[in-house]
Amino acid sequence: MARVQRYPDGSRVPPWDRAVDLNKEPAPVPEPAVTPVPEDLRRTIEAYMSKYPDRRSAVIPSIAAAQRHYGWCSPEALDQVAAVMRLTPAYVESIATFYDMFETEPKPAHDVYVCTNISCSLLGADELFEHFIETLGDEGDFNIRAFECMGACDIGPMASVDGVYVGPLELDDVAAIANDVRDGRPVLSRKQLAHRAAADPGAAVPVPDPDTMAAGPPMPPERGRGEATSPEDEP
Amino acid sequence: MPRPEPKEITFTIDGLEVKATEGEMLVDAAKHGDVEIPIFCYEPKLGQPVGACRMCLVEVEGIPKLQTGCSTPVKDGMVVHTQTERVHDAQKAVVEFLLVNHPLDCPVCDKGGECPLQDITFGWGAGTSRFIEPKRHFRKPLEISPLIAIDRERCILCYRCVRYSQEIAEDYQLVLHDRGAHSFVGTFDGHPYVAPFSGNIIELCPVGALTSTAYRFRARPWDVETAGSVCTLCAAQCNVSLTVRDDKVSRVMVRDHPEVDDGWLCDKGRFAYQAFHVDERITEPLVREGDELRPASWDRAIATAAAGLARAGRHTAALVGGQATNEDGFLLQRFLREGLEAHDLDSRLGAQLPVELHRALAAPALQASVPDLEFAHAVLVLETELMDDAAILDLRIRKGIRRHNLKLAVASSRPSALDPAAEQVERFAPGGVGRFLYELASGDHALSDWLRDAGQDVVIVWGERMGGAPGGANALRALLNVAGNLNLGEHEGAGLLAIPAVTNGRGLREAGVLPNAGPGLKAPVADGRGAPEIAAALADGDLRALYLLGADPLVSYPGRGAWAKALDRATTVVAHAGVLTQGIREHADVVFPSEVYAEKNGTVVHPDGRVQRVRQAIAHVGNVRPEWQVIADVARAAGFDLGVLTSAMATKQLFAAVPFYAGLTAEGLAGHGVRWPAGDGAAKAPEGDLGPFTLEAPAPEPAPTHGQLRLGSWRSLWAAPEVRISPSLQFLHPGSSVELAPDDARRLGIEDGVPVEVAQNGTSLRGRATLRSAVPAGSVFVSDETAILTGALVEVRRA
Amino acid sequence: MTKLLFANIDEPDLNTIDVYRRHGGYEALPKALKMSRDEVQAQLESSELRGRGGAGFSMGKKVSFLPHGAMDKYLVCNADESEPGAFKDRELIQKNPHQLIEGLIIGAYAADVNRSFIYIRGEYQYQADILDAAVKQAEAAGYLGERILGSDHTLSLVVHRGAGAYICGEETALLDSLEGKRGNPRLKPPFPANQGLYQGPTLVNNVETLSNVPHIIRMGAKAWAEHGVQNSTGTKVVSVSGCVRNPGNFEIELGIPTRDLIMGLAGGPREGCTIKFFFPGGSSSPVLTAEEGLDIPYDFDSMAKAGSMLGSGSIIVVDDTVPVVEVAKKVAKFYAHESCGKCSPCREGTNWTVKMLERVDTGEATPMDLDIIASVQDQIIGHCLCVLGDSMAMPIGSLVRKFRAEFEEHIERAREARGMGVTVPEPEPVGIAGADPDVGPY
Ligand SMILES: Cc1cc2nc3c(=O)[nH]c(=O)nc-3n(C[C@H](O)[C@H](O)[C@H](O)COP(=O)(O)O)c2cc1C
Ligand code: SF4
Ligand code: FES
């Protein structure tokens, strides 16, 4: 049997073995007087809080805002969310660690979530993921993660590149994606889900050529003159 | 607020017809039929059931799926089965799942022998294991705080501890991280879980995942005995169960009393037992020889003390500390008043109050009970920080808010831990409580309307310290007017709850340790001096001897300077002390070793009037003798026979002397005590004038001149000798902390954490600055264990 | 075939309010507001519209369960769509958000609700942006806000984005997550209709369910219910994916033969392959082999009778080139990863199953382990707090039952390939393994 991979302290799961540091102070709700928060982040969080009957509902959007601001959910970021929301940082961290899209370790700037769930893997998603890792894994720019089904099995195998869904992907697309991201172009515009027509033959009407369109998402997608897209779409 | 009326119903469990209360959960109802349904996550003290562990699955006729007994309320006519094959299979399945990743380390696990997982596996498990995959392994144990170790391998993720932190203590410091099988109990970014009530999670954990670092590996359940008593370390007087091994207390656990502590303890109560068995404790009599206190025989110590006191005669005064029992205080006041014809004695720290006020405030109709805090429509917490003064009541109020829609208002000078939970927060300047009450009583305050509209059951929890401050009597008259305006005396669930500055403040008053009242708040033979006047009289030479029963005026009394002079002049100082504090070390002529509560027999009175029994759990350490006996021996040596030979005789004398304790017996107090204001005693309570009083407008508070701040002080829960000498609690003993408003701090050039000096007329105190946005600008608060500063205004600067 | 939800779906700019209105959008709303709340509710009930989120509960009934009277009540649209194989809500939101919003406003009117939320999974960033814009347009047009179109109906709508957790699709976990907690399911009862969001009565409905509402009001319940079959009225958007030539969403009338969907609309298996089995209602439904499943009508009751379920209406087709063990492992790993960890059978059972399937895959198992796998699934089913555990146990149970021979063969082959006999995993020294040498094992 293969040897179990272990972390330096002898365990196999990293976070479990995190001991507390008895020299640290306990961490109650942060004292605003000694917890500076960047003004734009504070305003964003306060705006979220005002949308809900209970301010606590804003915790997910607020962590997301902090993650955008700092690049990851650093202890500092979580502490600041806690300070503005008047929660304990432990509470905020327990939320941050529950959800897949929050990352409590430093990560590269660009998120590439590759679906490796059933439908996509039936169409080669595992190879695709391997290829992503091999090609871009050591780059430092790409946070490549195997993700569960992202609700786009119709374009499997697919990936979400900084939130933009693209597929069906072939191995060659990996390099193109990297280039698009680096050059700040819309990612793989011909394969973006946003421009795809419905598969249902009774409903489909022609969809415009993506190249004539604005830079893709966000919305609303502008549509101009029509022309059918890729052949898979044709019933 | 109306409390739920129990309604009896009948249901069938395993073919047996059983009576139960409607709405009880099946697991509880089953017990009436002697049926046990196994549970892990269910703990009614934690609030609504969560149904997480799935251990309690049972079959309910008419419902196709198995139901969790912990969350299914019993209904009339319900038919429940716990012994069918389906149920057995489900139980075996759940045990098997729980053991999938649970290590088989019972032989070295601290929980062994008192472990629900062990018991339930034995009772309901399959007895075999089919799991052959590698288990999760983790480093173990890890400290999660200096007091608690966590072994994550053993955790079965029952959620109890994190629910506790979030829903009971509401400190939200202990949480679950990650999800699924990776979930683990932890804190934020490696910060320790340090919170006033953290230790309760040890008792809640149904496996050996959370253990007390102080108790780990000290004993097995079959090595120990348990003894019930009452913790006398603060006014909350929680009921405790002491784990005793080899005549040493090795652990303190709750002795669930729903009307006192609701089954929780603070960490001081839970861990300060270590102070019973440390070298710092005085365990034999000491007599002064020159500059030094030297060990002496009991005979010599008693003779020396008696001689000194007899010489001073009626020029003797006594101060009684808060941990003394009613009996101790009662016997000492008899000795002074009857034996020495001395009348100067006090159990309060501040200025004297007219005896009518004591009587009025003790009027049975006005007394709120602890459960009233939970079920009232509204509670006003007035100039007391419950977290420091009677910690467990803080949890009770939070429970009321969470479960019974209690509305809370906090009116205090210093920001309170309860502020975030309060609907109304009124902040006045330190010393401004008199003005606040004056306005509240005259109806000129926004809170007057709020209280009037809150509902009929209003409870005002007030800190007794305010009665000892300048203008205290007026403030209390205003308080009585407020109570009158709200008709608090007329509603069952409404009233006042006074939080004394010391543990047994109420009991000592009732036992007659007041300068102007004897036992039962009756008029004494002659009025005497209160604490501040005793200091003055000693300094003047009007008084010559001082008897200190568990009190050190240099440590906890206001007016340290005056007391230093008083002690210098006193010719005889006799003290009972547990540790050598400054006043004792420097001034006592005879020191008798004090008992700790685990060695004591006697009674104390809870702030809500419940007379509770303190019972001896361990033999006296070293050469310690019971306090009542020492007092009696000294009195006898001084020529006065108190007529007590046992602690029971002392209790009997006390109960006979206090009219409203009529009918109480030590046995009758049993495990739960008796609230005299709700019993036969109520009719025998002394009548007091309940007002309404014509109020004088309070004197204006001194205005700060340029740069000065108004001084407020507080005494932390942790500022206690027991904490300082308990090895694992030491880290909580506070340094001097100076709380400033951020704006003031900026103006004064003070940053968070820097050393500062707080000065006033040449005296000064040093501490570390703590910036708190909740502190109103213009005020400064110092944690005050020594009470050096007495004036209202101070200057604060960087040290 | 009739298109209701998908009518004009690819019309350019249908996601804008103008184009939506040009196609008859927001006409059902004033019609509904002229009716009494009870009448609207009666329409919903008599349409027999069943929830499209998985459980298939009558929407009209659910509305009627909400208590009457003045109190804070909520409507939450479940747009968490995270079940493998499901992607219908995505297309409905992206291309026709106003259809959903209109349905939601009418639903809120029927339930007498003044505050509503759409909980959309965090990965659907593009779709959430579209929804945000659509909500702004609807607010500007007076369809949301105070006294909508001069009626007494007031409604606010907030689009709330999740952050990646399948379990937040379960309605009570969704509510906890929306309250800012970890997405753990709650005990039921109390059901959301009595005590949901912020303890208030709450109506939770799926995107597609609500998208149907304008059509029911527009056409009248009776006409609408003529589509579909008894007990499965209306049309359904079905997601078909996996080993088919034309994967995608198809709007069908409930009750058509499954064959027409898979072989017809979705184009059938790829060149030279045959269908081995398929998941008829997402990855949590027990699988049906081609022989069992292709010829039964695609509707709620028929699928249940065949021992599976319609669920959210997502078909995953697996062809004969794919080893069944691979599929089983994917399914089990997904649920193990997504288990919230609150209840023990699900938390431990899913993980145990993954570990056993991994041993099956590497040939380190025996046929007896297949019995244990099957028995562990039985131990999960019906014992969990929510149905996520069952959602793994049912398909895995069905796979092991229906393809036992292949599992056994797989073990055999894998073992031979490794040139090894059966091994039990190397025992790990308990406790001591991870011990800190300075502290000692305990
Ligand atoms: C594990 C789990 C995941 C679920 N995920 C979703 C989902 O993503 N979307 C959804 O609409 N319903 C989902 N459901 C079903 C919901 O609990 C709920 O039944 C549904 O939202 C009700 O809406 P409906 O009546 O309109 O179908 C899920 C249920 C479970 C148990
Ligand atoms: S540590 Fe104990 S109390 Fe906490 S979740 Fe684990 S088993 Fe439960
Ligand atoms: S005791 Fe009922 S589920 Fe845990």
Side-chain angles (χ1 to χ4, degrees):
Chain A
M1 191 164 170
R3 275 212 63 76
V4 183
Q5 190 216 332
R6 288 194 180 281
Y7 289 84
D9 56 8
S11 130
R12 345 160 174 223
V13 183
W16 272 65
D17 275 10
R18 217 162 36 186
V20 303
D21 177 353
L22 293 186
N23 295 316
K24 284 190 183 178
E25 292 292 315
V29 179
E31 166 57 51
V34 295
T35 316
V37 181
E39 203 41 47
D40 52 338
L41 182 58
R42 169 190 301 281
R43 267 201 303 271
T44 310
I45 296 175
E46 281 170 352
Y48 286 141
M49 291 192 327
S50 68
K51 291 208 303 191
Y52 301 91
D54 178 348
R55 69 183 195 299
R56 231 191 294 177
S57 287
V59 70
I60 289 181
S62 302
I63 297 173
Q67 175 159 302
R68 282 196 300 273
H69 192 275
Y70 288 99
W72 62 293
C73 295
S74 61
E76 184 195 16
L78 297 177
D79 202 43
Q80 294 180 356
V81 172
V84 180
M85 294 194 69
R86 281 161 284 138
L87 300 169
T88 59
Y91 183 85
V92 178
E93 192 183 7
S94 85
I95 306 297
T97 57
F98 188 88
Y99 298 97
D100 288 336
M101 293 171 69
F102 294 139
E103 312 216 20
T104 48
E105 300 290 330
K107 69 168 182 72
H110 296 287
D111 293 323
V112 180
Y113 300 162
V114 185
C115 172
T116 54
N117 211 297
I118 308 172
S119 292
C120 283
S121 74
L122 289 172
L123 304 170
D126 293 306
E127 293 83 347
L128 177 69
F129 175 66
E130 287 303 313
H131 192 66
F132 262 110
I133 294 284
E134 276 163 24
T135 347
L136 305 176
D138 298 329
E139 281 255 335
D141 287 341
F142 296 95
N143 173 36
I144 300 163
R145 293 178 63 189
F147 239 67
E148 302 297 0
C149 178
M150 281 179 277
C153 317
D154 46 347
I155 55 164
M158 59 79 65
S160 159
V161 181
D162 286 332
V164 179
Y165 280 25
V166 286
L169 296 180
E170 278 138 44
L171 299 188
D172 295 346
D173 291 328
V174 170
I177 289 176
N179 287 333
D180 285 345
V181 169
R182 284 198 209 99
D183 298 348
R185 272 192 305 268
V187 183
L188 227 56
S189 33
R190 285 197 165 269
K191 290 197 176 182
Q192 283 192 12
L193 176 78
H195 311 320
R196 201 180 154 87
D200 192 335
V205 293
V207 164
D209 178 354
D211 290 343
T212 64
M213 298 178 28
M219 67 88 28
E222 294 170 21
R223 305 208 188 213
R225 71 204 153 73
E227 181 194 302
T229 43
S230 39
E232 305 86 34
D233 285 349
E234 302 277 78
Chain B
M1 206 163 286
R3 288 163 218 204
E5 293 257 337
K7 187 178 153 212
E8 194 176 76
I9 53 104
T10 311
F11 78 113
T12 310
I13 185 160
D14 297 338
L16 209 68
E17 284 216 340
V18 177
K19 292 207 184 317
T21 311
E22 188 176 48
E24 250 183 316
M25 294 305 165
L26 272 181
V27 292
D28 295 325
K31 289 181 195 150
H32 306 310
D34 229 358
V35 173
E36 186 178 354
I37 300 174
I39 51 161
F40 288 112
C41 67
Y42 179 60
E43 170 52 75
K45 287 199 296 192
L46 294 176
Q48 291 298 312
V50 290
C53 74
R54 318 302 290 172
M55 192 61 234
C56 60
L57 290 169
V58 295
E59 211 172 315
V60 180
E61 281 188 12
I63 307 180
K65 270 179 112 174
L66 296 182
Q67 297 294 302
T68 43
C70 70
S71 68
T72 309
V74 64
K75 290 200 195 82
D76 198 41
M78 209 176 221
V79 183
V80 182
H81 301 282
T82 72
Q83 299 299 332
T84 60
E85 202 180 325
R86 250 179 100 201
V87 174
H88 284 171
D89 285 349
Q91 289 169 335
K92 281 184 202 149
V94 174
V95 169
E96 186 173 31
F97 285 135
L98 288 174
L99 293 180
V100 155
N101 278 304
H102 190 83
L104 286 178
D105 64 351
C106 302
V108 295
C109 174
D110 225 45
K111 197 82 172 182
E114 51 184 12
C115 173
L117 183 60
Q118 235 176 17
D119 296 346
I120 289 174
T121 302
F122 183 74
W124 285 269
T128 54
S129 173
R130 302 180 294 172
F131 184 82
I132 59 163
E133 334 293 325
K135 294 188 188 230
R136 293 188 290 248
H137 291 302
F138 305 105
R139 222 158 64 155
K140 51 193 279 182
L142 295 166
E143 278 161 314
I144 197 144
S145 86
L147 300 170
I148 305 166
I150 185 165
D151 182 329
R152 292 186 173 123
E153 285 189 349
R154 293 183 190 146
C155 171
I156 57 167
L157 292 167
C158 69
Y159 281 64
R160 284 180 173 215
C161 54
V162 296
R163 277 164 71 204
Y164 169 80
S165 163
Q166 305 188 13
E167 288 171 34
I168 304 301
E170 295 182 1
D171 57 49
Y172 288 87
Q173 285 188 42
L174 193 70
V175 294
L176 226 48
H177 289 307
D178 226 310
R179 110 185 153 208
H182 297 297
S183 313
F184 67 102
V185 172
T187 56
F188 172 62
D189 190 36
H191 292 260
Y193 177 40
V194 178
F197 304 101
S198 68
N200 289 308
I201 61 173
I202 299 167
E203 265 185 79
L204 285 170
C205 183
V207 295
L210 294 168
T211 46
S212 149
T213 46
Y215 181 67
R216 283 170 73 80
F217 309 124
R218 300 298 197 285
R220 282 293 194 189
W222 48 87
D223 299 329
V224 302
E225 290 173 320
T226 49
S229 192
V230 172
C231 170
T232 63
L233 300 183
C234 91
Q237 296 181 11
C238 297
N239 290 195
V240 290
S241 160
L242 305 174
T243 298
V244 179
R245 182 180 189 183
D246 297 339
D247 243 341
K248 282 190 174 172
V249 177
S250 52
R251 173 168 72 170
V252 176
M253 302 214 282
V254 299
R255 181 165 63 85
D256 208 334
H257 192 322
E259 300 191 11
V260 175
D261 48 49
D262 215 17
W264 307 119
L265 286 180
C266 76
D267 287 359
K268 180 159 90 168
R270 185 178 296 277
F271 295 104
Y273 68 86
Q274 296 168 70
F276 301 169
H277 306 288
V278 291
D279 294 343
E280 285 90 336
R281 222 188 123 184
I282 306 171
T283 53
E284 58 192 339
L286 308 171
V287 172
R288 181 165 301 276
E289 290 176 19
D291 279 349
E292 253 184 278
L293 284 167
R294 289 261 170 78
S297 71
W298 272 105
D299 287 349
R300 179 157 167 249
I302 288 168
T304 314
L309 295 171
R311 220 177 303 126
R314 61 186 181 81
H315 301 290
T316 301
L319 298 181
V320 178
Q323 288 200 45
T325 57
N326 303 332
E327 288 78 359
D328 299 343
F330 171 76
L331 293 178
L332 184 61
Q333 65 86 29
R334 274 195 65 206
F335 172 37
L336 256 75
R337 286 186 169 131
E338 299 170 35
L340 301 172
E341 288 175 19
H343 303 286
D344 305 313
L345 70 167
D346 209 345
S347 56
R348 297 174 66 255
L349 308 179
Q352 261 194 65
L353 286 177
V355 69
E356 303 81 56
L357 265 179
H358 284 304
R359 289 184 189 143
L361 288 165
L366 269 185
Q367 307 302 299
S369 70
V370 172
D372 289 342
L373 285 181
E374 183 183 334
F375 291 100
H377 291 108
V379 166
L380 168 64
V381 174
L382 176 61
E383 197 61 340
T384 172
E385 172 52 278
L386 290 177
M387 195 69 107
D388 292 326
D389 296 344
I392 225 69
L393 299 184
D394 173 277
L395 296 185
R396 195 60 169 234
I397 290 179
R398 291 173 193 276
K399 182 182 178 194
I401 296 171
R402 239 182 3 257
R403 295 205 199 171
H404 307 294
N405 285 324
L406 168 75
K407 283 188 284 197
L408 174 68
V410 176
S412 63
S413 49
R414 181 167 174 258
S416 159
L418 280 170
D419 285 352
E423 206 172 273
Q424 298 285 325
V425 176
E426 171 65 22
R427 193 100 314 136
F428 37 77
V433 64
R435 172 162 303 278
F436 166 74
L437 276 170
Y438 178 74
E439 288 170 10
L440 194 65
S442 51
D444 294 343
H445 199 281
L447 264 186
S448 316
D449 299 338
W450 184 87
L451 284 171
R452 198 191 43 237
D453 300 339
Q456 66 172 28
D457 291 352
V458 173
V459 176
I460 301 178
V461 186
W462 59 283
E464 273 187 17
R465 245 176 273 242
M466 73 192 209
N474 273 332
L476 295 185
R477 285 194 192 97
L479 178 63
L480 284 167
N481 279 9
V482 173
N485 294 346
L486 296 168
N487 294 324
L488 298 191
E490 280 154 40
H491 302 299
E492 188 73 16
L496 302 177
L497 183 60
I499 305 300
V502 294
T503 303
N504 194 26
R506 176 163 188 153
L508 292 172
R509 277 201 306 273
E510 294 178 354
V513 192
L514 281 179
N516 50 1
L521 297 174
K522 286 178 291 197
V525 186
D527 279 349
R529 300 176 175 94
E533 298 125 46
I534 291 176
L538 280 165
D540 290 350
D542 243 14
L543 285 171
R544 293 204 284 277
L546 182 61
Y547 198 118
L548 298 170
L549 180 55
D552 181 347
L554 290 194
V555 171
S556 43
Y557 284 61
R560 191 178 144 94
W563 277 110
K565 265 188 233 130
L567 288 170
D568 269 345
R569 285 282 315 261
T571 51
T572 302
V573 177
V574 176
H576 292 243
V579 287
L580 280 184
T581 46
Q582 190 191 356
I584 311 291
R585 193 184 319 109
E586 293 173 2
H587 300 283
D589 298 297
V590 180
V591 179
F592 298 122
S594 280
E595 296 170 282
V596 294
Y597 77 80
E599 296 160 349
K600 254 183 184 315
N601 269 318
T603 58
V604 289
V605 183
H606 187 276
D608 78 355
R610 179 176 302 276
V611 185
Q612 307 204 85
R613 232 179 125 179
V614 180
R615 306 180 80 159
Q616 187 173 6
I618 52 172
H620 288 91
V621 169
N623 221 346
V624 177
R625 284 186 188 173
E627 246 127 20
W628 63 264
Q629 182 186 346
V630 177
I631 296 167
D633 287 350
V634 172
R636 196 175 305 110
F640 179 67
D641 189 356
L642 286 167
V644 290
L645 299 171
T646 63
S647 69
M649 287 169 80
T651 305
K652 245 196 202 127
Q653 270 196 14
L654 166 79
F655 287 174
V658 177
F660 46 82
Y661 291 168
L664 295 188
T665 59
E667 296 71 37
L669 298 180
H672 278 82
V674 171
R675 256 195 91 219
W676 71 259
D680 301 340
K684 305 217 170 79
E687 300 263 332
D689 178 3
L690 295 177
F693 305 95
T694 330
L695 300 176
E696 298 160 32
E701 289 118 39
T705 51
H706 186 67
Q708 283 180 319
L709 297 174
R710 287 202 170 84
L711 171 73
S713 64
W714 88 96
R715 213 181 153 77
S716 153
L717 171 67
W718 309 112
E722 296 84 8
V723 173
R724 194 164 40 76
I725 63 175
S726 291
S728 71
L729 273 185
Q730 264 164 10
F731 79 104
L732 285 169
H733 192 259
S736 271
S737 153
V738 177
E739 294 181 345
L740 286 162
D743 283 348
D744 291 334
R746 207 168 306 123
R747 184 168 51 79
L748 298 165
I750 293 170
E751 289 107 50
D752 190 58
V754 304
V756 291
E757 191 174 35
V758 184
Q760 173 182 79
N761 316 327
T763 1
S764 75
L765 176 149
R766 274 165 181 255
R768 223 160 259 291
T770 307
L771 268 50
R772 268 184 94 178
S773 325
V775 170
S779 297
V780 58
F781 294 93
V782 297
S783 65
D784 193 3
E785 211 181 335
T786 46
I788 297 176
L789 305 168
T790 42
L793 299 172
V794 287
E795 273 159 30
V796 181
R797 53 182 168 258
R798 274 184 99 113
Chain C
M1 212 178 288
T2 322
K3 300 292 166 201
L4 297 175
L5 302 175
F6 260 22
N8 312 305
I9 194 75
D10 276 324
E11 175 78 21
D13 296 334
L14 182 61
N15 63 0
T16 61
I17 200 162
D18 295 339
V19 178
Y20 178 66
R21 272 199 292 221
R22 198 179 325 130
H23 287 287
Y26 287 115
E27 279 171 16
L29 177 60
K31 186 173 169 194
L33 292 176
K34 280 192 202 94
M35 298 157 58
S36 73
R37 293 195 157 85
D38 288 345
E39 277 163 5
V40 177
Q41 188 194 305
Q43 284 285 306
L44 293 175
E45 216 167 327
S46 64
S47 75
E48 292 181 43
L49 166 62
R50 292 176 68 166
R52 305 301 198 223
F57 194 82
S58 154
M59 173 180 177
K61 276 224 182 68
K62 210 152 45 172
V63 174
S64 73
F65 289 161
L66 261 76
H68 292 277
M71 58 184 101
D72 288 333
K73 292 186 249 185
Y74 305 90
L75 188 154
V76 180
C77 168
N78 188 342
D80 192 58
E81 192 167 60
S82 309
E83 184 174 11
F87 45 87
K88 62 190 177 67
D89 297 343
R90 184 206 74 210
E91 193 150 18
L92 287 170
I93 294 171
Q94 177 184 322
K95 297 188 173 169
N96 199 350
H98 286 287
Q99 175 174 261
L100 165 62
I101 294 172
E102 185 177 8
L104 187 146
I105 303 169
I106 299 173
Y109 175 67
D112 196 7
V113 161
N114 301 119
R115 268 180 181 272
S116 65
F117 298 88
I118 299 177
Y119 186 105
I120 184 166
R121 66 178 299 186
E123 292 87 345
Y124 284 173
Q125 297 179 26
Y126 177 64
Q127 290 76 10
D129 289 343
I130 289 178
L131 264 182
D132 272 334
V135 168
K136 278 214 185 76
Q137 289 179 333
E139 282 168 350
Y143 297 132
L144 285 167
E146 303 272 324
R147 310 188 58 85
I148 296 167
L149 302 178
S151 69
D152 67 343
H153 184 41
T154 294
L155 184 69
S156 69
L157 172 57
V158 172
V159 178
H160 182 91
R161 295 160 199 237
Y166 164 61
I167 188 61
C168 294
E170 198 283 332
E171 54 187 4
T172 57
L174 182 150
L175 296 177
D176 261 24
S177 177
L178 185 48
E179 285 178 8
K181 301 177 183 151
R182 293 159 61 85
N184 290 328
R186 305 175 180 171
L187 266 177
K188 291 193 258 190
F191 289 92
N194 287 317
Q195 225 181 75
L197 192 61
Y198 311 122
Q199 305 291 315
T202 304
L203 180 66
V204 183
N205 272 120
N206 170 260
V207 169
E208 189 187 349
T209 315
L210 291 170
S211 295
N212 268 302
V213 171
H215 301 286
I216 294 173
I217 298 300
R218 183 173 51 81
M219 301 163 67
K222 199 153 165 279
W224 184 87
E226 268 159 25
H227 298 290
V229 294
Q230 206 197 351
N231 253 340
S232 293
T233 50
T235 62
K236 173 93 192 72
V237 180
V238 182
S239 308
V240 187
S241 65
C243 309
V244 287
R245 275 190 265 205
N246 182 33
N249 287 316
F250 306 95
E251 182 174 14
I252 57 150
E253 293 203 23
L254 283 165
I256 67 164
T258 308
R259 180 182 296 280
D260 290 1
L261 243 173
I262 297 179
M263 307 303 273
L265 291 167
R270 290 172 295 188
E271 197 58 45
C273 303
T274 52
I275 294 179
K276 188 166 169 180
F277 61 86
F278 64 95
F279 294 84
S283 67
S284 44
S285 55
V287 301
L288 297 175
T289 60
E291 304 82 76
E292 287 171 332
L294 281 181
D295 289 316
I296 46 178
Y298 198 69
D299 63 53
F300 286 100
D301 292 358
S302 308
M303 280 298 155
K305 225 169 84 203
S308 187
M309 59 196 214
L310 188 97
S312 53
S314 321
I315 297 177
I316 306 172
V317 178
V318 180
D319 70 20
D320 56 351
T321 63
V322 183
V324 67
V325 177
E326 274 308 305
V327 177
K329 255 174 54 186
K330 282 280 176 201
V331 171
K333 275 190 175 162
F334 169 74
Y335 288 102
H337 180 248
E338 298 297 342
S339 166
C340 79
K342 184 167 177 178
C343 77
S344 9
C346 169
R347 179 184 67 239
E348 304 295 346
T350 52
N351 270 277
W352 189 2
T353 304
V354 168
K355 285 179 176 166
M356 286 191 287
L357 284 170
E358 272 169 352
R359 277 197 293 120
V360 167
D361 192 27
T362 53
E364 290 174 272
T366 67
M368 217 175 72
D369 287 309
L370 296 174
D371 296 335
I372 300 182
I373 294 179
S375 136
V376 167
Q377 309 314 306
D378 289 342
Q379 291 192 353
I380 295 172
I381 294 174
H383 294 162
C384 298
L385 180 64
C386 79
V387 293
L388 187 139
D390 297 28
S391 299
M392 177 200 73
M394 289 189 304
I396 298 291
S398 72
L399 284 172
V400 173
R401 216 170 332 103
K402 291 182 181 173
F403 296 92
R404 173 134 188 152
E406 192 186 327
F407 274 96
E408 289 186 8
E409 254 170 58
H410 187 107
I411 296 174
E412 198 62 25
R413 240 182 303 114
R415 189 172 43 165
E416 274 164 19
R418 296 161 52 97
M420 288 165 90
V422 176
T423 54
V424 171
E426 163 195 326
E428 294 267 328
V430 172
I432 296 163
D436 181 336
D438 299 333
V439 180
Y442 320 117

